[in-house]
Amino acid sequence: MIVVMAAHATETEIKDVEQRIADWGYGVHPIYGAERTVIGATGVPEADKARYMESLESLPYVEQVMAILKPYKLASREISPTTTVIDVKGVPVGGNQIALMAGPCTVESYEQTWESAKACKEAGATILRGGAYKPSTSPYSFQGLGIEGLQILRDIADKLDMKVVTEVMDLRLVETVCQYADMLQVGARNMQNYDLLREVGKVKTPVLLKRGLSAKIEEWLQAAEYILIGGNPNVILCERGIRTFETYTRNTLDLSAVPAVRELSHLPVVIDPSQGTGKRSLVMAMTKAAVAVGADGLIIEVHPHPDQALKDGAQSLTCENFTQLVAELKPIAAAVGRSI
Ligand code: PEP
Ligand code: MN
């Protein structure tokens, strides 16, 4: 870490900071400038950094303390020069092939999920999405079928030879959801639920970690670090739009997150254009852009009758829309050296 001394710091104060760093057992590397002194502290272990940074920052003669290394290690690009391929029960995410995840926003019934899943599978999707436990802004809206929803997903996915991704909201249900799902979704609203992150870090089931509504990329990667440090190496990041001042779209889909994460992390990145835009008319275009920008996967809401959907009908593609979309994505994927 780097300690920037205040402009008015005296020689005694500078020596005091140097002594503190030395007493903690770390290397002291001062640069005495004409106006200001900067002290480098080397060898500080990650676990102690925050505490020592705060301690030094509380001194009136210290202006600023900066960490040099990223606040996440296991999620960092330094771990691996190539994107890590996560194996979702035989479906790779992060490799050359773009992983296609699709299905209804919410499991409403067996019929509705079946119709959606069948069309998605026929169009080329390999992972079935669908919420059994739904995080809802309104306590009055549909909250999901719970365990029955999980059973429906599993049954249909097995019949169609698909994998299942579904959200787990409650840390007490991680084990249960793992019995039915091939991948756990941690929703945007739970990205900073650190108890839940720790819990999904204890299993080996891959985790689709959505970016929080107002999370910076660094915070999102730190959330991933919670899961990785817990012992689960199978983390896939999912950009699903962030909250901005814009209201025409439900969220602002931050496609720059794809190349940004690519620079910062070895974890695969998936785009959710459905929550990302909130509008069916925009989903097709943003999905194409996501492929062009290098997304490792897509997760798209498809409903057989969007006008009858209990949730997110306005952003759900029809089965026909989805089939058409996949056909249109193929040449774009090929143009960027990927397949779909
Ligand atoms: C969803 O996938 O339907 C969902 C609720 O996602 P998010 O957590 O991104 O809002
Ligand atoms: Mn949804």
Side-chain angles (χ1 to χ4, degrees), residues 105-106 129 134 250 275 301 312 315:
C105 168
T106 306
R129 65 144 290 146
K134 291 305 296 181
R250 180 178 179 180
Q275 329 303 322
E301 291 184 347
D312 291 356
Q315 68 191 34

mmCIF file of all heavy atoms in Angstrom, residues 105-106 129 134 250 275 301 312 315, ligand 2:
data_model
loop_
_atom_site.group_PDB
_atom_site.id
_atom_site.type_symbol
_atom_site.label_atom_id
_atom_site.label_comp_id
_atom_site.label_asym_id
_atom_site.label_seq_id
_atom_site.Cartn_x
_atom_site.Cartn_y
_atom_site.Cartn_z
ATOM 1 N N CYS A 105 -39.320 -16.120 -17.111
ATOM 2 C CA CYS A 105 -38.844 -15.383 -15.933
ATOM 3 C C CYS A 105 -39.142 -16.236 -14.717
ATOM 4 O O CYS A 105 -38.269 -16.515 -13.902
ATOM 5 C CB CYS A 105 -39.570 -14.039 -15.835
ATOM 6 S SG CYS A 105 -39.311 -13.224 -14.246
ATOM 7 N N THR A 106 -40.408 -16.661 -14.640
ATOM 8 C CA THR A 106 -40.901 -17.349 -13.452
ATOM 9 C C THR A 106 -41.603 -18.642 -13.858
ATOM 10 O O THR A 106 -42.323 -18.665 -14.857
ATOM 11 C CB THR A 106 -41.918 -16.432 -12.741
ATOM 12 O OG1 THR A 106 -41.284 -15.176 -12.508
ATOM 13 C CG2 THR A 106 -42.394 -17.011 -11.431
ATOM 14 N N ARG A 129 -33.726 -21.584 -17.819
ATOM 15 C CA ARG A 129 -33.840 -20.650 -16.704
ATOM 16 C C ARG A 129 -35.293 -20.608 -16.235
ATOM 17 O O ARG A 129 -36.215 -20.981 -16.993
ATOM 18 C CB ARG A 129 -33.370 -19.237 -17.067
ATOM 19 C CG ARG A 129 -34.194 -18.494 -18.121
ATOM 20 C CD ARG A 129 -34.296 -16.981 -17.813
ATOM 21 N NE ARG A 129 -35.122 -16.738 -16.646
ATOM 22 C CZ ARG A 129 -34.922 -15.769 -15.765
ATOM 23 N NH1 ARG A 129 -33.943 -14.926 -15.924
ATOM 24 N NH2 ARG A 129 -35.729 -15.628 -14.734
ATOM 25 N N LYS A 134 -38.931 -15.990 -6.263
ATOM 26 C CA LYS A 134 -38.780 -14.733 -6.982
ATOM 27 C C LYS A 134 -38.553 -13.555 -6.049
ATOM 28 O O LYS A 134 -39.345 -13.324 -5.136
ATOM 29 C CB LYS A 134 -40.052 -14.441 -7.796
ATOM 30 C CG LYS A 134 -40.276 -15.380 -8.955
ATOM 31 C CD LYS A 134 -39.096 -15.459 -9.918
ATOM 32 C CE LYS A 134 -38.790 -14.155 -10.634
ATOM 33 N NZ LYS A 134 -37.637 -14.322 -11.560
ATOM 34 N N ARG A 250 -35.911 -0.312 -18.305
ATOM 35 C CA ARG A 250 -36.048 -0.731 -16.908
ATOM 36 C C ARG A 250 -34.732 -0.532 -16.157
ATOM 37 O O ARG A 250 -34.690 -0.137 -14.994
ATOM 38 C CB ARG A 250 -36.456 -2.206 -16.887
ATOM 39 C CG ARG A 250 -36.643 -2.779 -15.504
ATOM 40 C CD ARG A 250 -37.086 -4.238 -15.593
ATOM 41 N NE ARG A 250 -37.258 -4.809 -14.280
ATOM 42 C CZ ARG A 250 -37.629 -6.062 -14.060
ATOM 43 N NH1 ARG A 250 -37.877 -6.872 -15.076
ATOM 44 N NH2 ARG A 250 -37.765 -6.522 -12.843
ATOM 45 N N GLN A 275 -33.764 -8.445 -18.119
ATOM 46 C CA GLN A 275 -33.831 -7.487 -16.998
ATOM 47 C C GLN A 275 -33.105 -6.205 -17.429
ATOM 48 O O GLN A 275 -33.405 -5.111 -16.960
ATOM 49 C CB GLN A 275 -33.183 -7.989 -15.700
ATOM 50 C CG GLN A 275 -33.222 -9.482 -15.426
ATOM 51 C CD GLN A 275 -34.584 -10.101 -15.395
ATOM 52 O OE1 GLN A 275 -35.525 -9.488 -14.904
ATOM 53 N NE2 GLN A 275 -34.713 -11.294 -15.926
ATOM 54 N N GLU A 301 -35.305 -14.228 -21.211
ATOM 55 C CA GLU A 301 -36.644 -14.643 -20.797
ATOM 56 C C GLU A 301 -37.544 -14.883 -22.016
ATOM 57 O O GLU A 301 -37.668 -14.020 -22.888
ATOM 58 C CB GLU A 301 -37.253 -13.588 -19.862
ATOM 59 C CG GLU A 301 -36.508 -13.574 -18.539
ATOM 60 C CD GLU A 301 -37.052 -12.639 -17.491
ATOM 61 O OE1 GLU A 301 -37.888 -11.774 -17.820
ATOM 62 O OE2 GLU A 301 -36.616 -12.761 -16.332
ATOM 63 N N ASP A 312 -42.873 -10.070 -15.614
ATOM 64 C CA ASP A 312 -41.940 -9.701 -16.681
ATOM 65 C C ASP A 312 -42.398 -10.053 -18.097
ATOM 66 O O ASP A 312 -41.574 -10.366 -18.968
ATOM 67 C CB ASP A 312 -40.547 -10.313 -16.408
ATOM 68 C CG ASP A 312 -39.861 -9.663 -15.205
ATOM 69 O OD1 ASP A 312 -40.442 -8.699 -14.652
ATOM 70 O OD2 ASP A 312 -38.769 -10.110 -14.827
ATOM 71 N N GLN A 315 -40.959 -7.863 -21.061
ATOM 72 C CA GLN A 315 -39.578 -8.062 -21.514
ATOM 73 C C GLN A 315 -39.350 -9.483 -22.031
ATOM 74 O O GLN A 315 -38.245 -9.824 -22.451
ATOM 75 C CB GLN A 315 -38.594 -7.759 -20.373
ATOM 76 C CG GLN A 315 -38.654 -8.760 -19.221
ATOM 77 C CD GLN A 315 -37.879 -8.298 -18.004
ATOM 78 O OE1 GLN A 315 -37.809 -7.107 -17.715
ATOM 79 N NE2 GLN A 315 -37.271 -9.217 -17.277
HETATM 80 MN MN MN B 2 -37.430 -11.640 -14.680
#
